[in-house]
Amino acid sequence: MPIKIAQASRLVAAKELAQVKEDLKSGAIDIVIGTHALLAKTVNFGRLGLLVIDEEQHFGVTHKERIKRMREDVHVLTLSATPIPRTLQLALSGVRELSLITTPPLDRLAVRTYISPFDPVIVRDALRRERYRGGQSFYVAPRISDLDEVAEFLREAVPELTFARATGQMPPGELEDVMSAFYDGRYDILLSTAIVESGLDLPNANTLIVHRADVFGLAQLYQLRGRVGRSKTRAYAYFTIPV
């Protein structure tokens, strides 16, 4: 079918993004995939009929108001594994229609989750075990300021493993290069902030270490755990807390 698909996000060049906005206004684009940028006042849709919102919990009040104005003549489908209380209340009270996906994919194994005080031996063995079975690991810290401390630990505990950093403060091009390299298997560990909590599908990464899990919210931890166990391989999640 002759369907024109476009993308709108901070990773798209300014000139290309301007063209996307023009095509949306004229109705030349059939499907556009993007971030919060699509809800900006400068974006106008010529023939919008369906709005699909993934990871709804990440959208703030301003974005919700924009969506509310669009709802008047547009079908809206929202998706979330951790819905915010207001959305959950509207669904359970019958104001919104609700559908649940309760069946996991075929052969999918549950993620084994451990919560314990930080133990360098357990963390080291978990990272090595994942590497020796041919997989990769996520190591997530709550703050950018924590990354240097964790990086030093990795150099001392698992010097044979390679790792790369990823944070939201990195230039878009550099961040994309790091994520692509990790996806291609050039690094054993991705050391990052909570930027990885959604939008990633890396079947080969099946061990997750969360540094200072007590700093994260319950919904964040649930989302982070969802980064592993996306294949037929048994996945492990370690939520560490201060000793």
Side-chain angles (χ1 to χ4, degrees):
M1 295 177 64
I3 297 177
K4 184 176 181 180
I5 302 175
Q7 179 181 342
S9 71
R10 70 188 185 113
L11 299 179
V12 177
K15 184 177 180 180
E16 182 181 349
L17 184 59
Q19 184 60 53
V20 169
K21 291 181 180 180
E22 285 296 322
D23 290 344
L24 284 174
K25 187 175 182 179
S26 65
I29 293 176
D30 298 298
I31 301 174
V32 60
I33 303 169
T35 58
H36 302 71
L38 288 176
L39 299 177
K41 294 180 180 179
T42 56
V43 178
N44 296 296
F45 297 88
R47 53 188 185 91
L48 182 63
L50 173 64
L51 174 63
V52 180
I53 305 171
D54 194 15
E55 304 292 355
E56 188 214 14
Q57 72 276 4
H58 290 303
F59 291 81
V61 175
T62 302
H63 300 118
K64 293 289 178 62
E65 288 301 315
R66 169 71 167 158
I67 294 171
K68 189 184 298 183
R69 289 194 294 271
M70 297 168 67
R71 279 181 184 275
E72 297 176 359
D73 54 358
V74 174
H75 296 289
V76 179
L77 172 64
T78 60
L79 308 172
S80 177
T82 53
I84 60 175
R86 181 174 181 274
T87 299
L88 192 60
Q89 191 272 334
L90 289 174
L92 295 178
S93 63
V95 176
R96 285 189 183 179
E97 293 185 21
L98 172 68
S99 296
L100 299 177
I101 301 176
T102 58
T103 306
L106 188 65
D107 296 333
R108 184 67 57 87
L109 300 174
V111 178
R112 288 186 176 170
T113 307
Y114 303 92
I115 304 173
S116 67
F118 177 79
D119 186 327
V121 175
I122 291 177
V123 174
R124 181 197 65 194
D125 290 347
L127 295 172
R128 284 178 173 173
R129 181 181 64 244
E130 187 60 54
R131 175 63 183 86
Y132 294 155
R133 68 174 181 171
Q136 297 165 284
S137 304
F138 291 107
Y139 204 126
V140 180
R143 297 176 292 259
I144 293 178
S145 58
D146 295 323
L147 296 183
D148 287 338
E149 176 188 346
V150 176
E152 185 61 30
F153 164 75
L154 292 176
R155 293 189 191 98
E156 294 179 359
V158 285
E160 70 275 23
L161 304 186
T162 58
F163 67 90
R165 296 192 192 197
T167 72
Q169 293 187 1
M170 296 170 62
E174 183 181 348
L175 178 60
E176 186 176 14
D177 289 342
V178 169
M179 298 306 298
S180 296
F182 185 67
Y183 184 85
D184 292 338
R186 282 183 270 168
Y187 296 104
D188 301 310
I189 304 168
L190 182 65
L191 173 58
S192 73
T193 55
I195 188 176
V196 299
E197 74 177 79
S198 60
L200 292 182
D201 186 9
L202 300 171
N204 197 48
N206 285 297
T207 289
L208 167 72
I209 310 293
V210 178
H211 180 71
R212 287 298 305 270
D214 56 302
V215 178
F216 292 92
L218 185 60
Q220 280 185 303
L221 294 176
Y222 187 85
Q223 289 284 349
L224 286 170
R225 192 179 65 166
R227 295 313 97 209
V228 295
R230 306 178 75 86
S231 66
K232 298 180 181 180
T233 304
R234 172 74 71 182
Y236 299 87
Y238 298 84
F239 297 144
T240 68
I241 56 178
V243 178

